[in-house]
């Protein structure tokens, strides 16, 4: 667990920086160029005040600083220290390259001083007024053709710019393995907020040579640059070809690497570039980028682009190549499906995914679980005597993480490269199995042994609660995991779990997601179900996991839900009046609710609510509810228990249910009471079952269908009118249910 928070002394910035430099110098000497080596030497030669000030600057935003903002008690006057840093090459006077950052950091007073100096230099009035806002003054300044650097030198404060930033960023990258702007993780650790060093204390470098490290850094920088490129393209779509074309040359300059992690990152960057090119209809350029990306999903995009551009022979040839030698299950599934639909004689018109979903067995679930499909099916099977768990990916990730905990986190050669890492780097890179193949196969064989469940329980007990980036801990994890080992079938001395965990070890990125939603246990039998509500689609990676589980010997299937409309279902049709439109800050002034079954009103709940805040005058004019009317009314807390009892076991109905439900939920939350109900929105359903109307406001619908609505914008009156809409909707819904079309989630 994280330790207690503590105060940090003034030297903690420098302590962190020295800790990082010492770590990098010790572990990555072989990955340093002469620039980084010189940086380490020059920094060590600085006096302590100069080191302190430099690190203070490095941990602040921007690269430009005024000496007036660099006064620190532990450092003293900044002037001499800045001179030392300048002589050592860590800072310099401003140049044209730093002007953009200078303008961003400039105060309004200093900007006004510069404009006055500019007028003196040019002898012409700028037209600026001191009363103008800073952005307006800046626009005036940027239009002037003056030597800004000479004017900046005339200011009373001294401006300097950080240098050697690229070198520093590379040092940060060697330590963290990703682009990091500062050392905030060290600070969070010292404050007791971030855990570190839970698994091991001795670390080996993530890179074994300079070429490997520099390629990794270039690919990490490219990831950031592509994010900026995407923003630029959004603002300048007409320049897409000009902005993207140079990247093809960059891609060709990235060397192919034997390091699987770098090969994957290079492939991912090429794929992302292809997506950008495709987004801006540059299909030929997209194809070029995808051809530099290895495997799926770039292969899918290539097939589709070949086909859409009329290159049918090339498309068919490439599909056959994917079928003969697929890079993963998903690639084969896509290639087979596309080939069958587009090229095979008597090809099928539906995709395999659509067909699988269409033919999946249907289970009728009460509409009480609208929007909560998994919970509905869990209740269905629990009623049949099953032990039911929502396992999904976390179940398998926890099994994988606990069974291979030592190799992942504690082995001297595990791929944790600094105390802050929580997920071994070689998992994403695909090197975990290659590194520990012997140990992994031994442990996979142990899954079939009688003591496997005991070994897993021991691992769970020993490591419970340790922060990791593989899976999350929860109280019933043992109840889910132990039956997996106890009831998984064993054939030829191998547990059915072994091929699943082996696939995760060999290709973690592709085999760490898509697992079925539910685990069912009954009579020492395991079943896995992927739940699909009406309107849901089956994803290709979900199909791949289902097939893998079935091939391993598990009962794994899709079950398709159909919402059952119970004509005797109880609804609570509710309306609230409020002090405003934001549930988080505004409050309820009135609640009106009617309990309805089979079209008949069984009970009514109506009360004014003291919102414990002022009702704005325009709200009072709209609703007719004044501050004096609610002065002696109960607060929500006073009626919360009674309202909760009224709502119990019903479907929550409102016109624009999101609004009313949000306010009721917020009020219950303020009382620290749980609130969770199935919802039905009459706006959404009227649009569905009565399409084509000009307006779906409550007032207009009542006028359209001759529904009485007196005292509009009072809660009980609006709720009473909404009951009539619910009757109209249910008449249609029952017809749809009887014809087997089911209901969409509302």
């Amino acid at each position: 667990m994280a330790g207690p928070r503590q105060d940090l002394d003034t030297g903690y910035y420098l302590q962190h920086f020295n800790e990082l430099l010492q770590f990098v110098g010790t572990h990555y000497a072989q990955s340093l160029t002469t620039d980084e080596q010189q940086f380490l030497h020059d920094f060590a030669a600085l006096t302590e005040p100069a080191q302190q000030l430099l690190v203070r600057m490095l941990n602040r935003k921007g690269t430009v600083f005024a000496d007036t903002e660099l006064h620190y008690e532990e450092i003293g006057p900044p002037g001499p220290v800045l001179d030392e840093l300048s002589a050592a090459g860590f800072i310099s006077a401003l140049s044209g390259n730093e002007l953009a950052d200078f303008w961003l950091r400039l105060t309004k007073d200093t900007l006004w001083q510069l404009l006055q100096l500019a007028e003196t230099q040019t002898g012409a009035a700028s037209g600026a007024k001191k009363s103008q806002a800073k952005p307006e003054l800046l626009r005036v300044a940027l239009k002037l053709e003056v030597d800004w650097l000479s004017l900046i030198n005339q200011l009373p404060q001294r401006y300097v710019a950080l240098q050697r930033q690229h070198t520093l960023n590379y040092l940060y990258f060697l330590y963290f393995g990703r682009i990091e702007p500062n050392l905030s993780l060290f600070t969070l650790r010292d404050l007791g907020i971030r855990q570190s060093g839970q698994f091991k204390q001795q670390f080996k470098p993530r890179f074994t040579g300079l070429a490997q490290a520099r390629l990794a850094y270039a690919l990490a920088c490219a990831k950031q640059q592509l994010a900026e490129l995407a923003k630029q393209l959004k603002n300048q779509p007409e320049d897409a070809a000009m902005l993207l074309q140079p990247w093809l040359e960059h891609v060709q300059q990235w060397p192919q690497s034997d390091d699987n992690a770098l090969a994957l990152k290079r492939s991912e960057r090429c794929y992302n570039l292809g997506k950008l090119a495709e987004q801006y209809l540059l299909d030929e350029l997209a194809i070029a980028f995808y051809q530099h990306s290895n495997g799926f999903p770039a292969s899918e995009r290539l097939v589709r682009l070949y086909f859409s551009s009329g290159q049918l022979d090339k498309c068919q040839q490439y599909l056959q190549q994917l079928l003969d030698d697929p890079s993963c299950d998903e690639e084969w599934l896509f290639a087979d499906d596309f080939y069958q639909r587009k090229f095979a004689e008597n090809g099928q018109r539906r995709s395999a995914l659509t067909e699988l979903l269409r033919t999946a067995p249907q289970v009728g679930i009460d509409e009480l679980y609208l929007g909560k499909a998994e919970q509905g099916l869990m209740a269905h099977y629990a009623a049949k005597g099953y032990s039911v768990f929502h396992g999904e990916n976390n179940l398998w990730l926890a099994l994988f993480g606990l069974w291979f905990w030592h190799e992942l986190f504690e082995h001297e050669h595990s791929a944790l490269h600094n105390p802050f890492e929580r997920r071994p780097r070689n998992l994403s890179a695909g090197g975990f199995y290659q590194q520990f193949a012997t140990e992994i196969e031994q442990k996979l064989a142990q899954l079939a042994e009688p003591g496997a469940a005991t070994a897993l329980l021991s691992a769970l007990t020993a490591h419970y609660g340790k922060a990791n980036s593989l899976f999350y801990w929860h109280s019933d994890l043992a109840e889910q995991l132990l039956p997996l080992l106890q009831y998984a079938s064993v054939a030829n001395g191998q547990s059915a779990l072994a091929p699943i965990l082996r696939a995760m070890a060999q290709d973690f990125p592709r085999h760490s997601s898509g697992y079925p939603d539910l685990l069912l246990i009954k009579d020492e039998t395991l079943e896995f179900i992927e739940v699909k509500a009406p309107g849901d689609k089956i994803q290709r990676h979900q199909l791949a996991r289902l097939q893998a589980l079935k091939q391993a010997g598990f009962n794994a299937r899709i079950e398709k839900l159909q919402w059952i409309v119970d004509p005797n279902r109880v609804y609570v049709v509710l309306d609230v009046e409020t002090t405003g439109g934001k549930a988080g800050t505004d409050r309820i002034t009135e609640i009106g609710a009617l309990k309805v079954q089979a079209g008949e009103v069984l009970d009514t709940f109506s009360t004014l609510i003291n919102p414990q805040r002022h009702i704005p005058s325009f709200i009072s004019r709209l609703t007719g509810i004044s501050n004096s009317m609610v002065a002696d009314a109960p607060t929500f807390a006073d009626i919360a228990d009674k309202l909760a009892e009224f709502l119990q076991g019903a479907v929550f109905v409102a016109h624009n249910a999101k609004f009313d439900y949000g306010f009721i939920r917020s009020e219950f939350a303020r009382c620290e009471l749980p609130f969770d109900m199935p919802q039905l929105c009459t706006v959404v359903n009227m649009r569905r079952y009565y399409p084509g109307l000009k307006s779906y406001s409550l007032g207009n619908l009542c006028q359209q269908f001759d529904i009485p609505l007196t005292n509009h914008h009072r809660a009980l009156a609006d709720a009473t009118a909404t009951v009539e809409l619910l009757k109209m909707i249910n008449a249609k819904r029952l017809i749809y249910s009887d014809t087997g079309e089911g209901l969409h989630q509302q």
Side-chain angles (χ1 to χ4, degrees), residues 1 195-201 410 419 422 465-468:
M1 297 296 291
Q195 298 175 348
S196 69
Q198 283 187 294
F199 307 124
K200 56 190 290 189
Q201 297 300 321
E410 296 174 345
R422 296 178 175 180
K466 291 183 180 178
N468 66 89

Side-chain angles (χ1 to χ4, degrees), residues 388-422:
V388 189
F389 301 97
H390 189 276
E392 207 171 3
N393 299 326
N394 194 68
L395 173 69
W396 296 97
L397 293 171
L399 178 62
F400 178 80
L402 287 168
W403 200 247
F404 298 118
W405 187 276
H406 179 69
E407 290 75 19
L408 288 166
F409 300 114
E410 296 174 345
H411 195 283
E412 62 174 328
H413 297 305
S414 72
L416 297 175
H417 302 295
N418 69 57
F420 295 104
E421 291 189 334
R422 296 178 175 180

